[in-house]
Amino acid sequence: MIGQCERHGVDYIVGLAGNPRLAKLALDIDYESAIRFEKTREKQRVFGFIEYAAKSWKKRRRKVVVKSETSWRGFNTRYVVTNLRGCSAEWLYDHRYCARGEMENRIKEQQLLFSDRTSCHQWWPNQYRLLLSGLAYLLLERLRRIYLKRTAFAQAQVNTIRLKLLKIGAVITRNTRTIRLMLSSQYPEQDLFLKLASKLVPG
């Protein structure tokens, strides 16, 4: 996979499983982390670069980011191989490698919006469900990012917003000019709902 990325000019940052050879190359970084912990008795993280070539790699050595963490629990050393340039080891690890977890959270969020219901034996109905789920996620994400700032739902998952703010019982009446929503007086988020409704009404 790494070789294909390099052949096609694709940047990558991929985790590596530790092994004795990597541990030996990263010994100075681990040592620095341990020394700082002994002095402060607080958790320490030390980052650095090493060059490493696995036997399965056809290419010469590649750049590896090392994160050495020492705390009361002991050592925790991680290795990440990358071809990204111009950034510190700490920045690459925290803002590029660890950011993948946030991406996975967004994928899980969309799965909560019925995108995993693809049990139909035909392809098109399943594809249509995925498209609707993607559209629903985009609408709710925009609602959260723009209209729910500085509210209790600013960091909520989209499924939480759907269940607690939007999926509520109401009586709807309609005539030629108006549509009325009559919500329960016991609805706990009625004030926020009214504010959102007023913001979303076309000007």
Side-chain angles (χ1 to χ4, degrees), residues 145-203:
R145 179 165 48 89
I146 297 176
Y147 297 103
L148 292 175
K149 282 183 178 179
R150 295 179 291 277
T151 71
F153 293 94
Q155 301 296 325
Q157 289 191 347
V158 294
N159 195 48
T160 302
I161 296 172
R162 182 176 72 92
L163 292 175
K164 293 188 175 182
L165 191 60
L166 303 178
K167 192 176 180 180
I168 53 177
V171 175
I172 302 174
T173 60
R174 184 181 68 172
N175 58 33
T176 55
R177 294 185 178 181
T178 60
I179 297 176
R180 292 184 178 180
L181 300 176
M182 290 179 280
L183 306 178
S184 169
S185 60
Q186 302 302 312
Y187 173 44
E189 303 296 341
Q190 54 185 304
D191 291 338
L192 179 58
F193 184 91
L194 291 172
K195 288 180 182 178
L196 281 176
S198 64
K199 289 180 180 179
L200 295 174
V201 171

Side-chain angles (χ1 to χ4, degrees), residues 12-13 47 49 63-65 80 82-99:
Y12 61 84
I13 183 163
F47 294 85
F49 291 111
K63 180 172 66 175
V64 174
V65 174
V80 179
T82 184
N83 65 346
L84 294 169
R85 298 178 181 178
C87 302
S88 69
E90 182 176 2
W91 191 90
L92 285 172
Y93 188 88
D94 286 340
H95 297 278
R96 285 293 177 262
Y97 180 68
C98 290

Side-chain angles (χ1 to χ4, degrees), residues 23 42 55 58-59 61 82 88 94 102-103 112 116 122 128 134-135 138 146 154 159 194 196 198:
E42 296 178 351
K55 292 182 180 179
K58 295 181 180 179
K59 191 184 173 181
R61 293 181 294 179
T82 184
S88 69
D94 286 340
E102 186 63 17
M103 298 174 192
L112 295 173
D116 57 342
Q122 296 181 358
Y128 187 60
L135 177 60
L138 288 174
I146 297 176
N159 195 48
L194 291 172
L196 281 176
S198 64

